[in-house]
Amino acid sequence: MRLKSSSVLCALAVAVFAALGGCAAPANPNQTPAAAQGVYFMEPANGATVTSPFKVKFGVKGMEVQAAGDQLANVGHHHLLINLESKPKGEIIPFDDAHIHFGKGQTETMVTLKPGTYKITMQFADGFHLSYGKDMSATMMVNVK
């Protein structure tokens, strides 16, 4: 009887730990997301040391890449946010040096940055540049020589 109680308590503890996210690993920004929709970096690899300018290739799952201008369901375009976090869902992505827009529907680009370590966040947004939120973003680090 004692063995059964211990087994049940152990199973319950594991279930609670998993439900609280204790077993979850951070998402890999270079892998296709497990969710039905998401974005990922095809290139460069997270933590890569690169020489400026360097190529960045965007991946998207479950949505269509299209030029900005129309607000359609499951359609959008990429943005790169330099040393910034993802934008909340529905927030407009500003036009400035830290927010690079790819409103023509580009899926790759050459990025020029001064030497240093950078956090680069890819943010997918609709045709009016309204963010699809954290679920449609990926963040990685690069070291620029």
Side-chain angles (χ1 to χ4, degrees):
M1 184 81 136
R2 190 170 198 27
L3 183 58
K4 287 183 182 179
S5 296
S6 296
S7 297
V8 170
L9 285 175
C10 184
L12 181 60
V14 168
V16 168
F17 187 70
L20 292 175
C23 295
N28 182 337
N30 294 114
Q31 289 184 339
T32 304
Q37 294 179 323
V39 295
Y40 58 100
F41 288 98
M42 298 172 74
E43 170 178 342
N46 185 30
T49 297
V50 297
T51 303
S52 192
F54 60 97
K55 184 186 281 190
V56 176
K57 290 178 76 173
F58 311 119
V60 65
K61 177 182 174 188
M63 286 204 179
E64 182 182 338
V65 176
Q66 194 173 84
D70 293 322
Q71 197 170 24
L72 304 169
N74 298 316
V75 171
H77 62 279
H78 297 285
H79 301 80
L80 276 184
L81 286 54
I82 309 300
N83 289 330
L84 297 169
E85 299 293 329
S86 64
K87 294 289 184 193
K89 186 174 184 174
E91 186 174 306
I92 194 160
I93 298 176
F95 285 85
D96 60 32
D97 291 342
H99 300 84
I100 305 169
H101 290 249
F102 300 95
K104 294 180 182 176
Q106 303 98 308
T107 58
E108 64 180 65
T109 190
M110 296 300 289
V111 176
T112 302
L113 294 171
K114 293 179 182 176
T117 300
Y118 294 88
K119 174 172 52 176
I120 299 177
T121 300
M122 179 192 335
Q123 181 70 66
F124 206 65
D126 69 16
F128 293 163
H129 305 279
L130 298 174
S131 170
Y132 278 116
K134 186 169 181 65
D135 291 344
M136 290 301 292
S137 71
T139 299
M140 70 172 182
M141 301 297 295
V142 294
N143 301 300
V144 180
K145 292 197 286 182

